[in-house]
Amino acid sequence: MKTLRIAVPLVLATAMAVLLLLGRYRLDYDMLVLGFPLALGGFAIVMAAIAIVVEWRAPAGGPEKKGMFDEAEELLDKPQAWAQFAWLAGGIALCLGLGFAIGPALLVAAYLRAYRQSWLFSAMAGVLTGGTVWLIFGLALQTPLPMLPPFLR
Amino acid sequence: MLESIAQGLASFGQPLALLYMVLGVLIGSLVGLLPGLNGLTAIALMLPFIHGMDPAIGLAFLLAMHAVVNTAGSLTSILLGIPGEPTTAAVMIDGYPMAQQGRAGEAIGAAVAASALGGLFGAGVLLLLLPVLAPVVLYFKSPDTLMLALFGVALIAILSKGNMAKGLFAGALGMFLAVFGYQDTTGVPRFWFDFDYMLEGFQLIPITLGLFAVPEIVSLGTTGRSIAVPQADRVGIGQVLFGVRVALRRWALVLRSSVVGVVAGIMPGVGGAAAQWIAYASAAQTEKNKAQFGKGAVEGVIAPEAAGNSKEGGALVPTLAFGVPGSSAMAILIGAFFLFGLTPGPDFLKDHMPIAVHLTVTLAVANVLAAILTIAIGAQLTGITRLPGHVLAPFLMVTLLVGTYATANDPMDVLLLIPFGILGLLLKELNYSRPALLLGFVLAPLVETYLHISLQAHGWAFLLRPIPLAAMAGITLVIFTTARRRAA
């Protein structure tokens, strides 16, 4: 965890520094264009450096003063947390690949079944979800949300 | 003037006008509940339907719909941790923890009451300003808008309680994320690397939902627990009404936040999201129970709600007085004016004052109607917070995906949910302030644009105007008191 505490600000600050260098020497932005990002990036890099020093000096695994808004739940160490990202990525693939009526239906049905809900409940919840999305966004509001798979449009 | 007010009230009292206003409130509330659809979309979707209507009724229908979107949008922010509107993200910071503690009803009641009061305040200010709109709007110049934005940036220091360097880093990171894409003053696209999506830069919706909603969904899916603590009482209408009473008792906070909202609304380009965050951070600085902010402080719900709704009254000021839209939704509303052959501006106020009065009264009444409607359905919806996480998570994922895509119909927005979701989880777990990041992202374009304009128009002498001087004093005070509190 301590490695991650140091790595995250380091990676983000490095990315900002690389972008600024690219902007100056590769993309040839003048100071009117690059000035504001340069000031922000410079400030962010200094703050990241201070944060890294603080993390470096902190005892490994020691209690950290809690932030004001974010109560850590120690999810990063749990493989199940990353499984949720895989579900989300799968949902994105389903919605973009099969449209926003079939995709959500399959996502809900598969997810519920994977977490040991009954076949009947999973299937009904899936159909209901796909139907609701189609009814509200497609039929009632007529938003341009693609409801059908690309090969059927 | 009195004759115009009487004519405006008579126009508002027509049965057909009332019917369309109620319809507008219902559609606006539905749109508010659906993440991804916002007031802007609602007005755009309904624009074709006003063709052939009486101008006052058609415009009031659109305005009523737009005015109540925030009120209903706060329900999803509070109950699910997913902002129903980009402008209701600030409400989520304390509203969602309240729902987790089984106080969803109280949060909803407080949010609804603050929304209604803020909306009434905004409409009241608009009504009072109608005869003298022009000099008021003309008084605000670019340096004043810049200083309001800089004041908001200073508030990042407050939002970054805990490790200050980490909070300020998060704020600066948020501001840096906003520099991608076209720069407003030069028109040069920055850091787009021949990738068309990046010409417009990162968008608010995928960032907001990625940073806040995705980590909550991951948490629900991983732990399998419900949003509300298992021992929480069932929420009844009594708890919602208790929240209403709490908001009424905090009338001074409602008033202060409403003033923030109105001022932000009058200044074109500031936007509802910025108004809500500034009001929130200001409350976090001034309220007695500062330590509770972010952990379920009802004041953290009241302040952004009041600012969010009072802003609409403020946004109508430049819209009606000059035809300069106070927000993007107002820009579409101006389009509706043109559809009716009306041109907002000084002549409009001279020739069509009854319509302006009709719109103002609609703004006030629609807010009250939306509050009643939300109170009626709010208690029923809180049952969602008792569902097991493994059951709720897939529905939230669908809401997230549909909402994100529906905002701009761009698949890239949906794909960006993953990296911003991972970033959100990392920031949450490593105790970096996500609200500070979002506040930075919202304010950075304002700061840069108005800094350029102010310098070109006035040079550094713009700092000597009265509002910049007052704002600099305010910024110094914020930084000084925050630093002193930390030292203590």
Side-chain angles (χ1 to χ4, degrees), chain A residues 1 4-5 8-9 12 16 19-20 22-23 27 29 32-34 36-37 40-41 43-44 47-48 50-51 54-55 64-76 78 80-82 84-85 87-89 91-92 95-96 100 104 107-108 111-112 115 117 125 129 133 136-137 141 143-146, chain B residues 34 37 45 93 158-159 161-163 165-166 168-169 172-173 175-176 179-180 183 186 188-191 193 214 218-219 221-222 225 280 284 290 293-295 390-391 393-395 397-398 400-402 405-406 409 411 414-415 418 421-423 425-426 428-435 444 447-448 452:
Chain A
M1 198 67 169
L4 203 59
R5 287 182 187 284
V8 168
L12 291 171
M16 277 190 256
L19 274 174
L20 291 170
L22 278 176
L27 303 168
Y29 293 147
L32 202 60
V33 176
L34 196 64
F36 190 67
L40 286 176
F43 179 73
M47 287 301 125
I50 295 172
V54 170
E55 299 290 6
E64 200 207 1
K65 195 176 175 183
K66 289 279 185 208
M68 190 177 192
F69 299 94
D70 299 312
E71 295 296 333
E73 292 179 297
E74 291 170 6
L75 291 172
L76 293 175
K78 296 177 181 165
Q80 301 98 308
W82 299 105
Q84 298 303 315
F85 277 105
W87 277 107
L88 188 60
I92 291 172
C95 289
L96 295 182
F100 279 84
L107 170 65
V108 167
Y111 188 104
L112 290 174
Y115 283 92
Q117 302 297 321
T129 305
V133 172
I136 294 177
F137 287 85
L141 296 174
T143 60
L145 204 64
Chain B
L34 300 170
L37 293 183
L45 284 171
I93 304 301
I158 300 165
L159 293 177
K161 207 168 169 180
N163 185 326
K166 284 167 123 182
L168 293 175
F169 172 66
L173 177 64
M175 294 184 86
F176 196 85
V179 304
F180 290 77
Q183 191 207 24
T186 60
V188 175
R190 272 185 305 222
F191 306 125
F193 302 108
V214 171
V218 167
S219 168
T222 306
R225 62 169 189 239
Y280 179 87
K290 297 174 184 70
F293 271 77
K295 295 171 184 148
H390 287 146
V391 173
F395 295 103
M397 283 184 194
V398 169
L400 188 71
L401 298 178
V402 172
Y405 195 97
N409 295 302
V414 183
L415 292 171
I418 299 280
I422 292 172
L423 180 66
L425 187 67
L426 285 170
K428 180 184 177 187
E429 293 291 311
L430 302 178
N431 282 313
Y432 284 84
S433 171
R434 292 174 294 166
V447 172
E448 185 178 18
H452 276 282

Side-chain angles (χ1 to χ4, degrees), chain B residues 301-324:
Chain B
V301 172
I302 293 170
E305 274 296 319
N309 270 27
S310 66
K311 182 197 152 285
E312 297 310 328
L316 264 178
V317 170
T319 309
L320 294 178
F322 296 111
V324 175

Side-chain angles (χ1 to χ4, degrees), chain B residues 206-283:
Chain B
I207 289 192
T208 307
L209 295 181
L211 288 178
F212 288 97
V214 171
E216 294 314 323
I217 295 173
V218 167
S219 168
L220 284 172
T222 306
T223 61
R225 62 169 189 239
S226 58
I227 292 172
V229 286
Q231 62 271 28
D233 293 334
R234 278 195 183 282
V235 173
I237 191 83
Q239 207 189 87
V240 179
L241 292 176
F242 172 72
V244 173
R245 285 197 296 276
V246 169
L248 292 176
R249 278 203 296 272
R250 306 285 199 283
W251 61 268
L253 175 63
V254 172
L255 192 65
R256 274 204 314 274
S257 308
S258 300
V259 170
V260 170
V262 167
V263 173
I266 289 176
M267 295 176 163
V270 174
Q276 287 215 339
W277 282 110
I278 292 170
Y280 179 87
S282 164

Side-chain angles (χ1 to χ4, degrees), chain B residues 460-475:
Chain B
W460 287 105
F462 79 81
L463 290 169
L464 299 174
R465 284 173 56 84
I467 292 181
L469 278 175
M472 278 189 293
I475 291 168

Side-chain angles (χ1 to χ4, degrees), chain A residues 95-132:
Chain A
C95 289
L96 295 182
L98 297 175
F100 279 84
I102 302 168
L106 288 178
L107 170 65
V108 167
Y111 188 104
L112 290 174
R113 184 64 199 133
Y115 283 92
R116 298 180 186 180
Q117 302 297 321
S118 71
W119 276 106
L120 185 65
F121 175 71
S122 306
M124 280 178 62
V127 170
L128 208 65
T129 305
T132 307

Side-chain angles (χ1 to χ4, degrees), chain B residues 110-431:
Chain B
V112 165
S115 283
L117 292 172
L120 284 172
F121 182 84
V125 169
L126 177 63
L127 195 63
L128 285 174
L129 289 182
L130 273 178
V132 288
L133 275 180
V136 170
V137 178
L138 280 176
Y139 186 76
F140 291 109
K141 299 276 192 299
S142 301
D144 308 329
T145 309
L146 167 67
M147 281 301 162
L148 182 73
L150 277 179
F151 184 69
V153 171
L155 295 174
I156 288 175
I158 300 165
L159 293 177
S160 56
K161 207 168 169 180
N163 185 326
M164 186 102 161
K166 284 167 123 182
L168 293 175
F169 172 66
L173 177 64
M175 294 184 86
F176 196 85
L177 285 173
V179 304
F180 290 77
Y182 284 115
Q183 191 207 24
D184 282 349
T185 44
T186 60
V188 175
R190 272 185 305 222
F191 306 125
W192 70 293
F193 302 108
D194 295 333
F195 186 36
D196 289 350
Y197 177 85
M198 289 311 295
L199 281 172
E200 297 295 330
F202 292 114
Q203 300 300 305
L204 184 60
I205 284 281
I207 289 192
T208 307
L209 295 181
L211 288 178
F212 288 97
V214 171
E216 294 314 323
I217 295 173
V218 167
S219 168
L220 284 172
T222 306
T223 61
R225 62 169 189 239
S226 58
I227 292 172
V229 286
Q231 62 271 28
D233 293 334
R234 278 195 183 282
V235 173
I237 191 83
Q239 207 189 87
V240 179
L241 292 176
F242 172 72
V244 173
R245 285 197 296 276
V246 169
L248 292 176
R249 278 203 296 272
R250 306 285 199 283
W251 61 268
L253 175 63
V254 172
L255 192 65
R256 274 204 314 274
S257 308
S258 300
V259 170
V260 170
V262 167
V263 173
I266 289 176
M267 295 176 163
V270 174
Q276 287 215 339
W277 282 110
I278 292 170
Y280 179 87
S282 164
Q285 170 79 339
T286 53
E287 288 300 300
K288 283 178 188 158
N289 57 340
K290 297 174 184 70
Q292 279 306 305
F293 271 77
K295 295 171 184 148
V298 72
E299 292 84 354
V301 172
I302 293 170
E305 274 296 319
N309 270 27
S310 66
K311 182 197 152 285
E312 297 310 328
L316 264 178
V317 170
T319 309
L320 294 178
F322 296 111
V324 175
S327 64
S328 43
M330 290 298 146
I332 300 187
L333 195 68
I334 286 180
F337 275 84
F338 291 145
L339 279 181
F340 289 119
L342 301 169
T343 309
D347 287 342
F348 172 80
L349 289 177
K350 202 167 62 188
D351 302 336
H352 302 285
M353 185 57 103
I355 295 181
V357 174
H358 185 145
L359 291 178
T360 311
V361 179
T362 299
L363 191 64
V365 178
N367 272 292
V368 176
L369 274 181
I372 295 168
L373 181 71
T374 313
I375 287 172
I377 60 170
Q380 317 302 322
L381 289 177
T382 55
I384 295 169
T385 61
R386 306 173 74 86
L387 289 173
H390 287 146
V391 173
L392 194 54
F395 295 103
L396 294 183
M397 283 184 194
V398 169
T399 313
L400 188 71
L401 298 178
V402 172
T404 308
Y405 195 97
T407 311
N409 295 302
D410 194 328
M412 265 311 292
D413 284 346
V414 183
L415 292 171
L416 281 174
L417 285 174
I418 299 280
F420 281 119
I422 292 172
L423 180 66
L425 187 67
L426 285 170
L427 296 179
K428 180 184 177 187
E429 293 291 311
L430 302 178
N431 282 313

